[in-house]
Amino acid sequence: MAAIRTLRKMCQLSRHQACELHTTSSRQEAVIISGKKLARQIREEARADVEKWVSAGHRRPHLSVVLVGENPASHSYVLNKTRAAADVGISSETILKHSAISEEELLDLIYKLNTDHRVDGLLVQLPLPDHIDERAICNAVSPTKDVDGFHVVNVGRMCLDQSTMLPATPWGVWEMITRTGIPTMGKNVVVAGRSKNVGMPIAMLLHTDGRHERPGGDATVTISHRYTPKEQLRQHTKIADIIVAAAGIPNLITADMIKEGAAVIDVGINRVQDPVTGKSRLVGDVDFEGKAGGESVIVFLQRVTAQRPGVL
């Protein structure tokens, strides 16, 4: 368990695009805080944990990643994950399988990795081909090796405020908030997006009791989704102290929806076509350009190796 916790610590911010901490001299401009500095700090901590573990005579932690199919984005994501593992001293392997693999064959492979004592952490890269039940696959991974935190046992433990493996993007948001000192106790929070792997876990982490086994943020959290009218969403965000945009919708959060002094955390990632160049580019859920003249704290955690965007 200690080995996999070290491995998970490495993953907390490795999935996020990172920029330098930047604060403007003018009170009329937003303060931009993003993940590069914190990601580097967390990796240094994870590297030290790994070396301490190995120096104590333990085997070096090992991560196994199962990658099904030829999705270019998934291949890029997995490469980034294994590079991050190597950077902190964790050994890893990527097991490639054809997209035609049957669900039964994939389950057999997962069983073998679950029972292999040399494997400390295991993840199956999502999305999977349509003929495979993703929930069945996530639940087949041993809860003690579940690096993604997607197994129903780990989800349940998270909802019960117990220590467990947490999905990396929500954990990254939590680390960003706590390490930068953004206050949460008694604050109003809006989470735009209710996906089971991003929006829901973020809401759970922020609203639960800070005195429990897995401390929460003690915030009052509102979750919006695809059936939340834009004007109703605006009413909630206008009084929010913290907004987490995790919907996978470009420019969902605009300047007129944010009160001064609010913290806006953008974990959305969307590929849009540039009307001038015709080329595709990645944008978040927050209209950053439109908010640049305000006083909000804008925190960007745009995911470059995420499973897939959160959806409303």
Side-chain angles (χ1 to χ4, degrees):
M1 182 60 73
I4 194 172
R5 289 193 183 282
T6 298
L7 194 152
R8 286 293 294 121
K9 188 175 184 180
M10 174 276 297
C11 292
Q12 287 170 13
L13 289 180
S14 69
R15 300 186 179 202
H16 308 304
Q17 180 181 357
C19 303
E20 293 287 344
L21 171 66
H22 173 67
T23 56
T24 61
S25 58
S26 170
R27 283 179 53 84
Q28 298 306 311
E29 296 183 4
V31 178
I32 304 172
I33 307 171
S34 54
K36 187 174 183 179
K37 184 177 180 179
L38 291 181
R40 184 167 57 247
Q41 177 184 341
I42 288 175
R43 285 200 184 189
E44 290 172 353
E45 293 172 1
R47 189 180 300 114
D49 286 344
V50 170
E51 292 313 312
K52 182 178 179 180
W53 175 260
V54 173
S55 297
H58 300 290
R59 177 179 47 78
R60 188 171 297 278
H62 180 80
L63 169 68
S64 291
V65 183
V66 178
L67 177 56
V68 179
E70 300 299 328
N71 185 313
S74 291
H75 278 256
S76 176
Y77 301 160
V78 168
L79 179 61
N80 286 340
K81 292 172 185 178
T82 54
R83 283 176 174 172
D87 183 51
V88 300
I90 293 173
S91 66
S92 67
E93 64 175 336
T94 301
I95 303 172
L96 300 173
K97 291 297 177 180
H98 193 274
S99 60
I101 188 174
S102 69
E103 184 173 309
E104 183 178 1
E105 290 175 312
L106 186 54
L107 288 171
D108 286 342
L109 172 61
I110 292 171
Y111 174 78
K112 291 177 182 177
L113 295 170
N114 282 340
T115 55
D116 188 340
H117 73 278
R118 297 168 297 178
V119 176
D120 300 292
L122 170 61
L123 68 86
V124 180
Q125 181 65 38
L126 304 181
L128 293 169
D130 292 340
H131 67 278
I132 296 177
D133 183 347
E134 288 189 356
R135 175 43 51 194
I137 298 304
C138 289
N139 285 341
V141 175
S142 170
T144 60
K145 296 187 178 185
D146 176 27
V147 175
D148 274 327
F150 291 166
H151 191 284
V152 65
V153 168
N154 288 330
V155 174
R157 290 182 62 85
M158 175 190 67
C159 293
L160 292 173
D161 306 345
Q162 296 177 351
S163 296
T164 188
M165 303 301 158
L166 298 172
T169 298
W171 200 351
V173 171
W174 176 256
E175 287 294 313
M176 177 68 79
I177 289 174
T178 56
R179 289 181 183 237
T180 56
I182 297 173
T184 59
M185 182 175 289
K187 301 297 183 180
N188 286 319
V189 176
V190 170
V191 178
R194 62 178 178 182
S195 66
K196 297 299 181 285
N197 300 337
V198 182
M200 184 275 286
I202 289 172
M204 292 301 301
L205 293 174
L206 288 171
H207 96 270
T208 46
D209 197 324
R211 299 171 300 176
H212 286 180
E213 179 182 336
R214 191 267 302 148
D218 286 308
T220 301
V221 179
T222 299
I223 306 174
S224 70
H225 49 75
R226 65 166 66 101
Y227 299 118
T228 304
K230 185 66 175 284
E231 189 52 42
Q232 187 180 96
L233 175 60
R234 186 192 313 274
Q235 292 175 9
H236 290 298
T237 58
K238 287 288 288 184
I239 63 171
D241 303 296
I242 302 171
I243 299 171
V244 182
I249 299 177
N251 300 328
L252 175 67
I253 306 297
T254 54
D256 60 320
M257 300 171 67
I258 306 171
K259 75 174 185 179
E260 290 189 354
V264 183
I265 303 175
D266 189 1
V267 296
I269 184 167
N270 311 283
R271 189 173 294 278
V272 300
Q273 188 175 41
D274 191 303
V276 177
T277 65
K279 297 180 179 180
S280 64
R281 60 189 179 93
L282 294 177
V283 299
D285 289 356
V286 178
D287 181 8
F288 173 66
E289 296 300 328
K291 188 56 195 171
E295 278 192 314
S296 293
V297 176
I298 312 292
V299 182
F300 284 95
L301 292 176
Q302 287 186 205
R303 291 170 285 157
V304 294
T305 61
Q307 306 280 345
R308 51 188 165 177
V311 290
L312 279 176

